[in-house]
Amino acid sequence: MFYKSRKIFTKFTDRLLEGLTWKKFFLIILGAAICSFGIHNIHQRTAITEGGVIGMMLLIERWIGLSPAVITPILDITCYVLAFKYLGGRFIRISILSTVSVSLFYDFWEMFPPMLPDLSAYPLIAALAGGLFVGIGVGLIVRQGGSSGGDDALALTISRLTRWKLSRAYLFTDLTVLFLSLSYIPLRRIVFSLITVTVSSLLIDWVQNLKFSRSCTECEGNGA
């Protein structure tokens, strides 16, 4: 029985990691560490709300009282079902790894006291810094062909269907949720949330499409 279970698990992990190089694996882990660090140390401490799935979860909880434990899986699964249809199974496989990595890093950062100064009194700086961490972290994950959660899966699906730039697809979902959030969140807080999602959306798009010159690649290969 144990041998059979081990064989099934090995087959599953081999299938999950199929076509995933060590470089891609490292960059996914790095991206998960960066974005979760920013959200834990900046967004959560300064109460900057989110767009996408997280913002929609808070919105539904406020409107109809459903627990986030119920809402979040439903929203994420819905986004991943759409992504599977339009982006394929490889995207889902990589997304499983990246989503689990983000979750594990959340737990990891929570083991330590805050590592950054409290920026609650400086919401503009918090919004810019938070967008920087999320944009670079999620951008690294998306660049490898995966997502850090349902937000990314939905934005990538919209980008594929509409031919929009990825930053525009992110902004569309985030702005929709933030607009609806005005029903219970003061306009001043929404403004700073708008800043952070704009910065993160543009950075995700920039990191995903970042081109390295041939000369730089050769220098890296030669250890220069």
Side-chain angles (χ1 to χ4, degrees):
M1 184 67 179
F2 174 76
Y3 175 75
K4 186 176 180 180
S5 300
R6 182 180 176 183
K7 188 175 180 180
I8 293 173
F9 177 75
T10 301
K11 185 176 181 180
F12 172 77
T13 53
D14 288 345
R15 176 65 175 166
L16 182 64
L17 299 175
E18 182 182 352
L20 191 64
T21 65
W22 281 108
K23 180 182 177 181
K24 282 182 174 290
F25 181 80
F26 170 76
L27 290 174
I28 288 171
I29 298 299
L30 179 62
I34 292 172
C35 73
S36 59
F37 180 88
I39 292 175
H40 175 65
N41 284 279
I42 299 176
H43 288 77
Q44 290 179 339
R45 294 180 69 198
T46 57
I48 295 177
T49 191
E50 297 283 335
V53 168
I54 296 175
M56 184 58 71
M57 175 267 292
L58 295 172
L59 189 65
I60 294 174
E61 180 190 21
R62 179 78 176 193
W63 279 358
I64 60 179
L66 276 179
S67 168
V70 176
I71 303 167
T72 305
I74 292 175
L75 293 175
D76 277 332
I77 289 170
T78 302
C79 292
Y80 279 125
V81 168
L82 287 171
F84 177 75
K85 180 177 180 180
Y86 294 105
L87 301 176
R90 184 175 181 274
F91 170 81
I92 298 299
R93 291 201 308 272
I94 297 177
S95 294
I96 291 173
L97 172 63
S98 54
T99 303
V100 170
S101 299
V102 169
S103 179
L104 291 176
F105 269 110
Y106 274 133
D107 290 338
F108 177 74
W109 298 129
E110 287 177 350
M111 295 169 58
F112 303 95
M115 298 182 184
L116 294 177
D118 187 357
L119 298 174
S120 299
Y122 309 97
L124 178 58
I125 296 176
L128 293 172
L132 183 67
F133 276 102
V134 172
I136 293 175
V138 174
L140 286 172
I141 293 172
V142 170
R143 187 180 175 89
Q144 311 316 310
S147 72
S148 63
D151 309 62
D152 306 330
L154 180 60
L156 286 162
T157 302
I158 292 173
S159 177
R160 172 66 63 86
L161 292 175
T162 61
R163 305 295 182 184
W164 287 354
K165 291 183 65 176
L166 185 56
S167 57
R168 186 177 181 184
Y170 270 107
L171 280 174
F172 173 77
T173 58
D174 288 337
L175 292 179
T176 300
V177 173
L178 290 178
F179 176 77
L180 294 173
S181 298
L182 283 170
S183 61
Y184 74 101
I185 294 177
L187 178 60
R188 183 175 180 274
R189 280 185 58 193
I190 291 292
V191 168
F192 292 114
S193 296
L194 175 60
I195 292 171
T196 199
V197 299
T198 301
V199 171
S200 63
S201 298
L202 293 173
L203 275 174
I204 291 169
D205 198 32
W206 180 76
V207 172
Q208 185 202 26
N209 295 298
L210 185 63
K211 303 293 184 182
F212 295 99
S213 67
R214 184 175 180 182
S215 59
C216 288
T217 305
E218 290 173 352
C219 287
E220 291 175 359
N222 293 327

